[in-house]
Amino acid sequence: MLPPTLSYLSGPGTTPLLGETIGENLRRTVARFGSREALVVAHQSYRATYNELWQQAGQLAKALLALGVAAGDRVGIWAPNRYEWVITQFGSARAGAVLVNINPAYRAEELKYALNQSGCRVLLLAPSFRQTNYQALLASVRAQCPALETVVVLGADWEAFLAAGVPVADEDLAEREAGLQFDDPINIQYTSGTTGFPKGATLSHHNILNNGYFIGETLRYTEADRVCIPVPFYHCFGMVIGNLACSSHGACMVVPAEAFDPAATLQVVQDERCTSLYGVPTMFIAELELPGVGQYDFSRLRTGVMAGSPCPEEVMKKVQTVLNMREVTICYGMTETSPVSAQSYVDDPLAKRVSTVGHVHPHLEVKVIDAATGHLVPRGTPGELCVRGYSVMLGYWNNPAATAATIGAARWLHTGDLATIDTEGYLNIVGRIKDLVVRGGDNVYPREVEEFLYTHPAVADVQVIGVPSLRYGEEVMAWVKLKEGHSATGPELASFCKNRISTTKIPAYWKFVDSFPMTVTGKVQKMVMREQAVKELGLEAAAAVKTA
């Protein structure tokens, strides 16, 4: 047979897809591994076996039923990594509620938008996180959120909230669970919008349970694995690659801190005898740069996942040697694909594991096309990456136009990423079509930042770009044209942004200009702006970093 010449791959599917809900899958894990540890949250001194996790998830599901939450109703959670987050993830799934993940970095306007766009009836929130008082922020917008009926503050209200579900009969919960289907929506995750408004990627049991399961299969997880999860739960990295990969295999979820802390992470890896560690490249860089990194015991570490933004080859090599993660893998994906579409194998040649994002996942298809014609391109030729299969989201919540613009009639999801497929079937991400900045694993859409900056009285025009960063992969930069007769400085504009948009979206660099580089047809040339910024800011070293 002639070798393939066009850029299409179909993932092997010898292991069948799981045709069950998240609750049904957890029930099977509990039956097999009930006495084994399921969840360890170091900063809260919390431990639970799978039997205890099942019981507590059931209590939460009953508490939602007691509030009158119906299957399909939206329940929001706004909190950093805590044990209650995991209980809520599994409990809401058992109740058939749609869990709305709210970014812990959100401020008042972003919170209001997410609550209203999703129609949240119930919100569980941490009292505060870092320097942000969540209760005060919620109070400032609650009157403008008509669907929100019940607020539960984690810690202060948690026990009373669970106790209110005690009168709900076991039979009532069992009846609710029996009526659920694995194609039901179960999760909404907001992604930054190119039009200035985030879009709610809507995911089903089938989407995220299977994706977590096949990630765990690729990592060769068993009930003996203990997985350190310093990445956030509000994102698919934490709740799918982390929690569902573990729960579907009986492995233990180990949470080191509310948010990433390199020393706390490595201490937990040692103390809890972790076999797997997750992170975006910036996290691994921080761990490798930690004074005394060689003093920790990494003898149990075997594997893990590096994902979220392009992975520098040299960092991958150090992770394998210094951290002893000989079988570390790279994952590629996006929220809209639940999230992972491709992953390197634990036994792939080192050169492929550090220079590509591996193989298409089981039961998925990928193709690389000419964005102008929609036709497949030859192997090795860059084009837009498209994904099809069980992992493709149901759509954007209450946004059929955005859904139709992303998912074609044949159910191919257009990622907006530029990719190549080599002759051996390895996938490589070489750039982005869509105007996106990936800062430390967080997606920042320039249009969203631009539209916010337009609200400043001194700003006439603004263009936001990403510039290379050794620490974050990319940083946000704004080129600003001021209104005649007005003045402003970078620090003043940054102060204007503070507490009004997420910290990750606030530009690190500001450049004041009279005009922007333009094409003859009047389009702003952001690539030219980026090249100029690299030279002016002295970022050549960061720009030269090779990534997979």
Side-chain angles (χ1 to χ4, degrees), residues 240-470:
V240 180
I241 303 176
N243 296 346
L244 291 177
C246 288
S247 65
S248 58
H249 289 82
C252 182
M253 299 163 268
V254 181
V255 184
E258 275 196 325
F260 176 64
D261 178 290
T265 299
L266 296 188
Q267 191 66 51
V268 158
V269 167
Q270 172 180 285
D271 294 349
E272 296 295 332
R273 308 178 310 285
C274 292
T275 61
S276 178
L277 172 62
Y278 291 171
V280 300
T282 52
M283 293 180 176
F284 284 108
I285 291 168
E287 290 157 4
L288 292 165
E289 291 178 348
L290 200 65
V293 62
Q295 306 301 312
Y296 293 94
D297 180 3
F298 302 130
S299 60
R300 302 293 184 97
L301 266 185
R302 169 183 68 82
T303 189
V305 171
M306 191 186 297
S309 64
C311 304
E313 293 181 21
E314 291 306 311
V315 176
M316 274 288 286
K317 292 175 181 176
K318 287 183 179 178
V319 165
Q320 291 178 316
T321 54
V322 178
L323 301 184
N324 197 42
M325 294 169 61
R326 301 171 304 283
E327 299 177 359
V328 65
T329 71
I330 286 180
C331 286
Y332 161 78
M334 57 195 299
T335 303
E336 288 89 339
T337 55
S338 305
V340 173
S341 301
Q343 186 174 2
S344 50
Y345 295 159
V346 297
D347 55 1
D348 272 336
L350 176 62
K352 292 295 187 181
R353 271 193 282 155
V354 301
S355 64
T356 77
V357 295
H359 311 264
V360 60
H361 243 229
H363 301 286
L364 296 180
E365 299 170 275
V366 298
K367 67 178 180 179
V368 178
I369 63 170
D370 181 320
T373 65
H375 294 168
L376 290 170
V377 299
R379 291 284 178 107
T381 302
E384 184 181 15
L385 179 67
C386 299
V387 180
R388 182 166 69 178
Y390 77 84
S391 71
V392 172
M393 65 175 179
L394 299 178
Y396 292 117
W397 186 263
N398 278 350
N399 196 339
T403 302
T406 304
I407 303 173
R411 290 294 295 173
W412 283 103
L413 183 138
H414 291 253
T415 67
D417 289 325
L418 286 168
T420 59
I421 296 174
D422 69 18
T423 55
E424 297 176 84
Y426 287 89
L427 186 67
N428 194 30
I429 306 302
V430 298
R432 287 187 297 276
I433 296 171
K434 54 190 180 182
D435 194 7
L436 177 68
V437 180
V438 181
R439 181 191 182 276
D442 289 319
N443 291 349
V444 178
Y445 279 88
R447 179 71 179 273
E448 188 176 358
V449 182
E450 290 163 359
E451 291 202 359
F452 175 76
L453 289 172
Y454 281 132
T455 66
H456 190 282
V459 173
D461 200 359
V462 59
Q463 296 291 327
V464 170
I465 61 172
V467 294
S469 164
L470 289 171

Side-chain angles (χ1 to χ4, degrees), residues 456 458 487-498 510 512:
H456 190 282
S487 64
T489 65
E492 287 172 352
L493 293 179
S495 178
F496 175 74
C497 296
K498 190 176 180 182
W510 302 86
F512 294 87

